[in-house]
Amino acid sequence: MAGERDLTTLLRGMRPLLNPGRYVYCTLPTKVPAGLRPVVTVAEPEGVTVVVAQEEADALGLRYEYVAAWITLQIHSALEAVGLTAAVATRLAEEGISCNVVAGFHHDHLFVAADDAERAVRALTELADLTARPA
């Protein structure tokens, strides 16, 4: 099934969903240890970055600095869609909210500071509502 490419349709239908829990970014020197269940994994020359539930990181004694909330944009966005990340990041920047974006095959996922989660969802919902209004 092909994802949506039209920016207006993407913004109108993004339906931001705040996933339960708090998530942290951890770096590991090599590979992901057995039993660790990251929601995101990125291999970089400096090591492996994982985004994992905070309680899981705590249980394993993993170090982290950034505690995030995880927001999923529920529309199936095409990987080649143009402008969605920019529009979302711009709207959140207007609210003073930092945003780390990860694209999955079906959805875009945003990690924002945990304390900003509700404000971020509100800002994104407002953006969707504004886009849905006739010009």
Side-chain angles (χ1 to χ4, degrees):
M1 177 167 104
E4 181 58 55
R5 294 181 182 169
D6 178 70
L7 180 57
T8 300
T9 302
L10 286 166
L11 292 172
R12 260 189 271 193
M14 64 180 159
R15 298 181 339 272
L17 171 70
L18 179 59
N19 295 288
R22 294 163 68 95
Y23 297 84
V24 296
Y25 280 69
C26 303
T27 60
L28 308 168
T30 56
K31 61 182 182 173
V32 177
L36 186 67
R37 300 167 311 188
V39 295
V40 176
T41 304
V42 178
E44 300 176 289
E46 299 86 354
V48 176
T49 299
V50 293
V51 180
V52 63
Q54 183 179 15
E55 59 270 6
E56 191 171 351
D58 289 342
L60 293 172
L62 298 176
R63 292 182 48 217
Y64 56 85
E65 297 174 15
Y66 182 72
V67 180
W70 173 16
I71 300 169
T72 299
L73 303 182
Q74 295 183 81
I75 191 160
H76 180 183
S77 56
L79 290 169
E80 65 273 8
V82 175
L84 179 60
T85 301
V88 165
T90 297
R91 180 64 189 105
L92 294 177
E94 291 169 353
E95 295 292 325
I97 299 171
S98 69
C99 177
N100 297 283
V101 180
V102 177
F105 184 82
H106 294 99
H107 305 284
D108 290 274
H109 305 273
L110 315 174
F111 292 89
V112 302
D115 292 341
D116 293 331
E118 296 295 334
R119 271 189 329 118
V121 170
R122 255 192 323 276
L124 295 171
T125 301
E126 289 169 4
L127 175 60
D129 292 347
L130 285 172
T131 306
R133 290 184 191 153

